[in-house]
Amino acid sequence: MSRSEPGIGPAGGRVILHDYWRSSASYRVRIALELKRVAYERVPVDLVAGAQRSADHLALNPQGLVPALEIDGKVLTQSLAIIEYLDDTRPLPALLPADPAARSHVRAVALAIACDIHPVSNLRVLSRIEALAGAEARAAWNRENIAAGLEAVEKLLRYPGYTGAFCHGSTPGMADCALIPQLYNAERWGVEYRHLPRVSTIAGNCAKLPEFQAAAPERSSAGPGDT
């Protein structure tokens, strides 16, 4: 829950996030909402129990995924699209830089995580691998995928003007919203990343910020749908 008046966003009206506490995509949006100071209510969607396939949830998100964000009289899906909407409608603090080349690079880092690492490590894929080849194959697949993906992200972060604080510049943005949930998953699966200097520096800097602390899965677990 945001630290502002519960459930009321700066543009007015209730803001409701349908999410699962350990979902990387949901975690990204929680970070963005906290950074934007948008207060929101949470409706847990228990992915393990299959609540994402319920008729009510499919009416919000036909893909049967989380998150889904009710805001400004709309229902938004896909985490990075939601973050860009928040940046377009609530410009400060900016989550994307003004310079076109820098914006492209920040998007590239975020997409490398959200579209290349995350999709082949999500619950649907891992459950299928376990069904076909067993729990050990599931774990090996996930660790190898996350480790290789983070190595590539480290290299992507080596661009001119990198300050060492966040993925771009001296304030967190969309790429940081994507990176921190992926590092949470890395830790869950025992994937080491502290040998990656830029990734490690960013992780440490984000960990100090109350917005990232408030969005963390353990802080966001509440109720029977968050077990």
Side-chain angles (χ1 to χ4, degrees):
M1 184 74 68
S2 155
R3 293 179 301 283
S4 305
E5 184 182 353
I8 304 298
R14 295 175 67 197
V15 178
I16 303 173
L17 178 65
H18 302 259
D19 76 339
Y20 179 66
W21 69 294
R22 276 186 172 166
S23 156
S24 294
S26 298
Y27 191 175
R28 294 171 202 144
V29 173
R30 291 198 302 269
I31 294 170
L33 289 167
E34 294 290 342
L35 289 170
K36 292 290 188 180
R37 301 292 195 272
V38 176
Y40 60 96
E41 302 170 28
R42 289 186 60 245
V43 175
V45 180
D46 190 343
L47 301 185
V48 177
Q52 69 275 23
R53 296 187 292 274
S54 70
D56 286 346
H57 189 72
L58 288 172
L60 290 170
N61 186 345
Q63 287 185 286
L65 301 173
V66 292
L69 182 67
E70 296 185 66
I71 189 170
D72 300 339
K74 304 169 179 61
V75 178
L76 307 179
T77 62
Q78 290 293 338
S79 61
L80 297 189
I82 292 172
I83 292 171
E84 291 222 28
Y85 176 86
L86 292 173
D87 215 39
D88 288 340
T89 59
R90 295 152 175 84
L92 296 176
L95 301 182
L96 284 162
D99 176 71
R103 288 173 74 88
S104 177
H105 191 82
V106 167
R107 286 189 177 105
V109 174
L111 289 166
I113 297 166
C115 296
D116 292 327
I117 303 175
H118 176 231
V120 294
S121 285
N122 69 18
L123 181 61
R124 290 179 300 172
V125 173
L126 294 181
S127 296
R128 183 59 177 158
I129 291 170
E130 183 169 354
L132 292 171
E136 290 185 9
R138 168 184 173 143
W141 167 282
N142 204 27
R143 292 190 187 107
E144 291 170 8
N145 173 58
I146 294 172
L150 290 177
E151 292 277 354
V153 167
E154 174 74 14
K155 294 175 183 177
L156 285 173
L157 290 170
R158 297 175 189 169
Y159 59 90
Y162 176 76
T163 66
F166 298 99
C167 288
H168 181 83
S170 59
T171 58
M174 184 168 74
D176 305 277
C177 292
L179 178 60
I180 297 309
Q182 189 58 65
L183 297 182
Y184 173 83
N185 278 333
E187 291 175 355
R188 282 187 63 210
W189 288 89
V191 178
E192 182 55 61
Y193 61 83
R194 289 165 186 84
H195 62 291
L196 304 174
R198 288 167 173 78
V199 166
S200 296
T201 297
I202 293 163
N205 289 331
C206 289
K208 298 172 186 176
L209 298 180
E211 295 85 357
F212 284 82
Q213 296 166 12
E218 288 72 19
R219 290 280 296 274
S220 300
S221 177
D226 281 343
T227 55

